[in-house]
Amino acid sequence: MKITPMLQQYLDAKERYPDTILFFRMGDFYEMFFEDAVTASRVLGLTLTARNKGDVDEVPMAGVPHHAASGYISGLIESGFAVAICEQLEDPAQAKGIVRRDVVRVITPGVVMDTESLDARASNYVAAIHMGKDTYGVAYVDVSTGRFHVTEAATLGELASEIGRIEPREILVNDVEAASALEGRWPGSFLRRRDAAFFDARNLYRAAQDAIRLEREMAADGFFMDRKGIEALVTGFAEFAFRDPERVRGAAFAVLRYIVDTQRGIPSHLRPAEPYHIREFLIVDASTKANLELTETLMGGKRSGSLLSVIDKTLTAMGGRTLRHWLNYPLVNPDTIASRLDAVDEIVKRTSWREDLRGHLANVYDIERLCGRISSGTANARDLRSLLSTLGAIEPIKHELNSATSKGLVKLNAGIDPFTEMRARVDGAIVDAPPVTLTEGGIFRRGFDADLDELIELTENGKDWILRFEQKEKERTQISSLKVRYNKVFGYYIEITRANLESTPDDYIRKQTLANAERYFTPELKEMEDKILGAEDKRKSLEYRLFEALRAEVAGHVAELMSSAQNLAELDVLVGFAELAVRHDYVRPTVDSGDAILIEDGRHPVVERTLSEGRFVPNSVEIGGDEPFLQIITGPNMAGKSTVIRQVALITLMAQMGSFVPASRAHLGVVDKIFSRVGASDNLARGQSTFMVEMTETAHILNNATRKSLIILDEIGRGTSTFDGLSIAWAVAEHLHDVIGAKTMFATHYHELTELVRTLEGAENLSIAVKEWQDDIIFLRKVVRGQANRSYGVQVGRLAGLPPTVVTRAKEVLSNLESVQFDERGVPLAGRHAGRAPQVTLRNNPDQLTLFSGSALSPAQEAVIDSLKTTDVDALTPLQALNLLAELKQKLE
């Protein structure tokens, strides 16, 4: 195949970025060739064409308009592809030979600066995991906002939970074998394997230096950090008490290196890494997060219907992201929680003040992502006007906060800068409605720059001169249809239709012939054209330079802007919590370091919103402290067991976020972890059945829960045979009671588990009340003390629409099972079908025992039980134990 110089340039760039779709700038289009073209045409629905079409050297090709590229890039990113942007680095009109091009940035799912491609209310993180034998260093960055965090995990389970909370779009891993074990754990994340060198600081600094050299070649100096700036990002946690700080540093180096490789440098708006310990926050593992539907629903993965969708009353994108972070990272320090609650309490009590604050917050734009665009050199004049509007809203917000008394609000107010000088500077520079592009002029007000004012005067007066010239020529030639027009190719010209050509003056010089008209110019018009166009070009060039300088001036205040943005975001969340409490009648919880959870008339925050007012039945729960800490909850399906246990977990989590809660009263001891094992699911991608998933999640709970944890369980052991499942559920309950001692709500259909209260001091039975009426059941949705006597499964099946014949047969089988009826071979009659087996006389099997009931025993069996009850097993020698065992066996025989 013959390779042209342009295609060779493309192939050279592709060789350096083989794992990307290369967008190769050619004039007004980004072109893709070879396999990239085929892939992009399939994913984006583009027309696939070719260079040298029909020849042996045909090259597949597809392209997109450069001005509309963001939408196409978003489509590829959502499909998991990375896109390398190869730009023209010089003006084609001035290039000697082929235009110089190079990749200026790579856009990946985790590294996106274009706000149109991002969810405004969710962070977009790229994370790195530096895996060791005993510790896992974790670092993650949102390039669009500059937020940078580092932590470490002690176990693989803890790592899995933490990554589930971070929700990164991309994850870099240093250990190839370990990466295989992580594959599929986080379906929304793309795993990228990198070698050990990628996690080395020396390679990071070398790559950053190369990026700065390219930046200077592009005449864009100042957007990226040098080595000193990068070191400042990663040295702030040097004294933090990590177990293995080198692992954490390695993760930080890797995530920054990835940003260098994709953005061609470290954008100057990135903030120093914020270190934290995982256990500084309430831990909610990935399974519990999904089961409780904190940020998305189990069915469909939608935001609507999740807890987040119900409690989000924020007015800014920054506030929305901060609320999501608080939801993933509830607090465990009662004093910090109380500080948030104090702030919410004050806002709740001052109605008009709250409404005024909400009115001002509604005018606040996304400062964090605006700063990202400003620092990366992609912000336009409209972005600066948006920033100006936000800064204009800050002053009245601070005025309102000046009367705040709670410590939290006072502290937030002190951290918000009104930026008075910057506001005056930007407002005096940028016109009210600037253009989108930066190269066409029309950006600045008059009076901002004297040289620019002169050029504006010349261009605007020049246009007036053109109008006067046109009118003068109409009068001189008596041609009323004469027009003076302009285009980029021919400049200014006089156009006369063919019908009026005989009246054309002799001093008109022909410029162009059309089908229906002739175009002319005069020396006078040409002279003025040179002046006007020269001034126009100079004006556009000067405005562009002035804007770059103004943008760089604003970029110098990015650190202060980002700090104020964080405080505004937190204020927005607190005001949103207050609005939520007022709208839905939430109360302030009391949160302390005790062990009890007391909730009076608690409500499920999501379910109650789906029902018409007054239909939700509140329930009170008291667990832990002086009350039993293991609650066995029985009752029929659809009665509300799952709703009750979930609402206890959600109310606890909301309280530790610093929110008011849906109840009439709540007194909660801080919990360190919330675990949930609810419902049935499988993981076919990892080869795990429903029961295996259930057991894996149960094992995770038993291995990680502490006495300070809150555990809600629903239907443990239902994925296997009845006896196996019941045995597992029984053993799990005993372990939770005897070994862990965590506050546990255990909803089950195994009524045999209610017998646990006879032997476990910290256990109690609860049930969901129902009322029977002529073989129908009415769900009362109320938790009462004591056990349920039936599951009412057949009635629920009938309500669900099972055919009458099935319902009738189910009742027969249930009756036989409950009466323990057997045929002459000892086979339960429930297993026989009247039409397929000979009829036999029913009899009760006197030797058949149920697991935990008081069924009739033979005298020998009763004697054995009595002997065991009176025997002190601990006092027996091995020989005595063997003799006793032989004696008991003989009695039974």
Side-chain angles (χ1 to χ4, degrees), residues 6 9-17 22-26 30 83-90 98-106 210-218 261-264:
M6 186 278 298
Q9 194 179 47
Y10 175 89
L11 292 171
D12 290 342
K14 181 66 178 176
E15 185 178 6
R16 287 184 286 119
Y17 296 91
L22 185 65
F23 271 39
F24 191 77
R25 181 70 177 272
M26 295 179 65
Y30 285 116
V83 178
I85 308 298
C86 188
E87 288 286 6
Q88 297 173 167
L89 300 184
E90 57 184 338
I98 188 170
V99 176
R100 190 162 62 92
R101 297 179 175 88
D102 202 347
V103 173
V104 296
R105 68 186 184 280
V106 178
D210 292 341
I212 288 175
R213 276 196 292 270
L214 175 64
E215 180 190 29
R216 287 170 180 164
E217 288 178 19
M218 296 170 61
D261 287 353
T262 55
Q263 299 297 292
R264 299 307 300 263

Side-chain angles (χ1 to χ4, degrees), residues 620-836:
S620 298
V621 171
E622 190 167 2
I623 182 171
D626 295 331
E627 296 295 320
F629 58 87
L630 172 62
Q631 295 180 338
I632 307 298
I633 308 172
T634 51
N637 280 313
M638 297 176 58
K641 299 190 300 297
S642 295
T643 299
V644 170
I645 63 176
R646 279 184 168 100
Q647 76 189 35
V648 171
L650 293 178
I651 288 172
T652 301
L653 185 144
M654 289 174 64
Q656 293 190 211
M657 287 173 64
S659 170
F660 283 25
V661 298
S664 62
R665 185 168 84 93
H667 189 145
L668 309 163
V670 164
V671 301
D672 61 353
K673 304 173 185 177
I674 295 178
F675 294 100
S676 168
R677 167 52 240 164
V678 176
S681 61
D682 54 26
N683 190 335
L684 299 180
R686 302 188 68 193
Q688 293 183 338
S689 67
T690 299
F691 184 63
M692 175 57 78
V693 171
E694 179 182 332
M695 290 298 97
T696 300
E697 292 180 0
T698 303
H700 172 72
I701 294 171
L702 297 183
N703 290 326
N704 291 279
T706 73
R707 186 172 178 276
K708 294 290 290 183
S709 301
L710 172 64
I711 303 171
I712 62 171
L713 301 174
D714 196 353
E715 302 304 344
I716 292 293
R718 300 294 287 185
T720 186
S721 71
T722 301
F723 284 4
D724 280 354
L726 177 54
S727 301
I728 291 171
W730 188 280
V732 166
E734 286 184 335
H735 186 85
L736 289 169
H737 180 278
D738 297 340
V739 178
I740 298 176
K743 293 179 283 292
T744 304
M745 302 185 75
F746 197 145
T748 182
H749 281 289
Y750 289 133
H751 289 271
E752 292 84 355
L753 291 183
T754 59
E755 299 292 326
L756 282 165
V757 300
R758 299 187 180 187
T759 56
L760 303 181
E761 293 182 359
E764 70 170 336
N765 287 327
L766 301 177
S767 62
I768 308 296
V770 297
K771 184 176 180 63
E772 295 184 69
W773 176 258
Q774 296 181 348
D775 204 29
D776 281 340
I777 55 172
I778 301 170
F779 299 118
L780 301 181
R781 315 289 185 191
K782 205 68 178 174
V783 175
V784 295
R785 292 192 181 276
Q787 67 191 62
N789 57 359
R790 297 177 61 189
S791 287
Y792 299 97
V794 176
Q795 287 88 339
V796 172
R798 186 172 62 78
L799 291 174
L802 288 180
T805 54
V806 174
V807 173
T808 301
R809 176 58 179 157
K811 289 180 179 178
E812 293 174 358
V813 174
L814 177 62
S815 176
N816 291 339
L817 288 173
E818 289 179 339
S819 60
V820 201
Q821 293 180 328
F822 298 83
D823 64 15
E824 71 281 356
R825 295 171 298 166
V827 176
L829 186 73
R832 303 171 61 88
H833 193 288
R836 297 180 187 174

Side-chain angles (χ1 to χ4, degrees), residues 3 48 57 177 237 332 359 422 429 527 588 604 746 763 783 884:
I3 302 297
L48 183 65
D57 294 338
E177 292 184 6
F237 59 90
V332 293
M422 186 191 300
E527 181 183 357
R588 174 176 180 161
H604 192 295
F746 197 145
V783 175
L884 176 62

Side-chain angles (χ1 to χ4, degrees), residues 16-285:
R16 287 184 286 119
Y17 296 91
D19 299 328
T20 69
I21 303 292
L22 185 65
F23 271 39
F24 191 77
R25 181 70 177 272
M26 295 179 65
D28 291 334
F29 282 80
Y30 285 116
E31 300 290 356
M32 291 155 279
F33 300 100
F34 302 104
E35 288 301 317
D36 283 1
V38 175
T39 300
S41 64
R42 171 175 50 82
V43 175
L44 301 175
L46 301 176
T47 300
L48 183 65
T49 181
R51 286 177 69 87
N52 309 321
K53 195 172 182 66
D55 292 352
V56 176
D57 294 338
E58 179 175 296
V59 175
M61 180 175 75
V64 300
H66 119 274
H67 65 274
S70 61
Y72 295 103
I73 293 171
S74 296
L76 290 169
I77 296 303
E78 284 301 312
S79 299
F81 294 97
V83 178
I85 308 298
C86 188
E87 288 286 6
Q88 297 173 167
L89 300 184
E90 57 184 338
D91 187 346
Q94 300 176 357
K96 295 178 180 180
I98 188 170
V99 176
R100 190 162 62 92
R101 297 179 175 88
D102 202 347
V103 173
V104 296
R105 68 186 184 280
V106 178
I107 305 170
T108 72
V111 187
V112 180
M113 292 294 291
D114 180 14
T115 54
E116 294 180 3
S117 304
L118 296 171
D119 181 350
R121 292 182 166 268
S123 296
N124 195 73
Y125 288 119
V126 54
I129 302 172
H130 197 199
M131 305 184 74
K133 292 182 178 179
D134 302 317
T135 309
Y136 307 89
V138 179
Y140 51 102
V141 174
D142 183 344
V143 181
S144 69
T145 65
R147 296 202 173 210
F148 184 10
H149 305 271
V150 292
T151 189
E152 66 179 355
T155 65
L156 193 58
E158 193 171 72
L159 172 68
S161 294
E162 188 61 18
I163 296 297
R165 295 204 289 186
I166 297 167
E167 304 173 305
R169 292 284 282 138
E170 286 184 280
I171 305 172
L172 313 172
V173 187
N174 65 307
D175 188 319
V176 175
E177 292 184 6
S180 299
L182 298 177
E183 199 75 55
R185 281 181 178 267
W186 309 287
S189 303
F190 298 98
L191 212 59
R192 316 290 192 200
R193 295 169 175 81
R194 292 294 185 270
D195 59 25
F198 202 82
F199 291 71
D200 190 293
R202 290 168 295 182
N203 291 322
L204 165 64
Y205 297 136
R206 191 178 301 118
Q209 193 60 43
D210 292 341
I212 288 175
R213 276 196 292 270
L214 175 64
E215 180 190 29
R216 287 170 180 164
E217 288 178 19
M218 296 170 61
D221 190 23
F223 292 134
F224 296 141
M225 292 184 182
D226 57 14
R227 174 169 180 159
K228 184 177 180 181
I230 296 172
E231 287 176 342
L233 295 179
V234 296
T235 56
F237 59 90
E239 302 301 322
F240 199 76
F242 284 129
R243 293 174 55 202
D244 190 349
E246 288 308 307
R247 289 286 167 193
V248 180
R249 285 171 60 82
F253 294 143
V255 77
L256 292 176
R257 168 68 189 278
Y258 194 66
I259 294 171
V260 170
D261 287 353
T262 55
Q263 299 297 292
R264 299 307 300 263
I266 302 293
S268 59
H269 71 287
L270 254 66
R271 286 177 270 184
E274 298 178 39
Y276 68 94
H277 290 301
I278 290 174
R279 294 174 187 269
E280 291 175 358
F281 302 94
L282 169 61
I283 295 176
V284 178
D285 61 34

